[in-house]
Amino acid sequence: MRIGNRDYEEPPEGKMYHSRLYHRHFEGYRETVVTKANGKQKICRVYTAPYYHCDLSKTSKVLLRLWYLLLTILASIFSLYNGMSNAAVNLVWYTALPQAVLVPVYLWSAYTLLYYIFTYRDMTIGDYRTCSTGLQKTFFALFLIHGIWFIGSVLFYILHYGTSSPSAMYLIRILLSAAACIIISATESRIPYSRIENPASTAGVEIK
């Protein structure tokens, strides 16, 4: 097979091999080599695997997305408020470290949530991994990090009781953030999804 200026050999058993990331991203697609009018060839991909369909009503989907968004905003506000306070508990490494880790994980969860909110159509395998599975994993990770932060804060409270120990509201805000995150993860794990057959053509080389 010739693609552009390079020759490719057909892999055995009709499979086309790429990097693991490539296969994961395009899982469920089929590839075909199309020759254009000018004689050049290009790879065309068509999704042919079953779609993932959320079995909730349209209204329930909208309310669920708003619920997730509200919980995420509340969790991030509580965490940001604690992290930007002048409390002495923020100056020790065993509370500063989990706070630092929270930043990139919160950013990734925001990306995952926005992807989820704006994905109304039936989802491909990649969409489902990013949306449903991604939400469960990222918000569970946030829950664990908040738990480590809480334990570190309690340790600081014990070691500095009566002097510069954190206030009760400081600890409560961490717990509320953790609760919001685990609610999102647990709720999404219980959302029913069904697989819908895809009427698209099955011609080409399947990416697995």
Side-chain angles (χ1 to χ4, degrees):
M1 182 194 305
R2 187 173 180 81
I3 302 178
N5 297 321
R6 300 179 63 184
D7 292 316
Y8 294 84
E9 294 183 0
E10 279 287 350
E13 301 180 3
K15 296 181 180 179
M16 191 171 288
Y17 295 99
H18 300 279
S19 68
R20 180 177 299 179
L21 182 62
Y22 181 97
H23 280 265
R24 182 176 178 83
H25 182 74
F26 287 109
E27 183 176 353
Y29 285 79
R30 284 184 177 269
E31 291 184 345
T32 55
V33 179
V34 177
T35 303
K36 297 189 289 186
N38 58 9
K40 292 185 178 180
Q41 293 179 315
K42 68 174 183 178
I43 296 177
C44 293
R45 302 178 185 89
V46 178
Y47 185 74
T48 58
Y51 286 101
Y52 285 86
H53 175 77
C54 181
D55 295 333
L56 298 178
S57 66
K58 186 175 181 179
T59 301
S60 296
K61 290 179 186 177
V62 173
L63 292 176
L64 182 67
R65 284 164 168 77
L66 292 175
W67 176 236
Y68 287 170
L69 182 61
L70 175 62
L71 288 175
T72 303
I73 292 174
L74 289 176
S76 58
I77 288 176
F78 289 146
S79 297
L80 187 63
Y81 186 90
N82 273 3
M84 296 185 66
S85 68
N86 295 322
V89 64
N90 288 335
L91 302 178
V92 294
W93 69 268
Y94 48 85
T95 59
L97 182 59
Q99 291 181 59
V101 175
L102 276 175
V103 175
V105 182
Y106 260 120
L107 291 175
W108 182 251
S109 67
Y111 163 77
T112 304
L113 181 60
L114 289 175
Y115 195 104
Y116 180 89
I117 289 174
F118 292 106
T119 303
Y120 282 95
R121 67 186 185 280
D122 293 332
M123 295 184 287
T124 64
I125 296 174
D127 291 336
Y128 179 76
R129 282 177 176 160
T130 302
C131 293
S132 182
T133 306
L135 277 179
Q136 294 175 50
K137 290 181 178 180
T138 53
F139 281 92
F140 185 72
L142 284 173
F143 167 73
L144 293 179
I145 299 169
H146 279 99
I148 295 173
W149 183 9
F150 179 78
I151 293 173
S153 300
V154 171
L155 176 62
F156 184 89
Y157 181 89
I158 294 173
L159 295 176
H160 300 85
Y161 180 75
T163 55
S164 56
S165 57
S167 66
M169 283 306 302
Y170 182 96
L171 298 176
I172 291 174
R173 282 190 289 267
I174 299 177
L175 288 178
L176 290 175
S177 296
C181 293
I182 196 61
I183 287 173
I184 294 175
S185 180
T187 301
E188 184 58 28
S189 68
R190 289 167 172 77
I191 299 300
Y193 287 89
S194 57
R195 289 165 61 92
I196 300 177
E197 288 302 316
N198 188 347
S201 171
T202 58
V205 180
E206 184 178 4
I207 303 175
K208 295 183 178 180

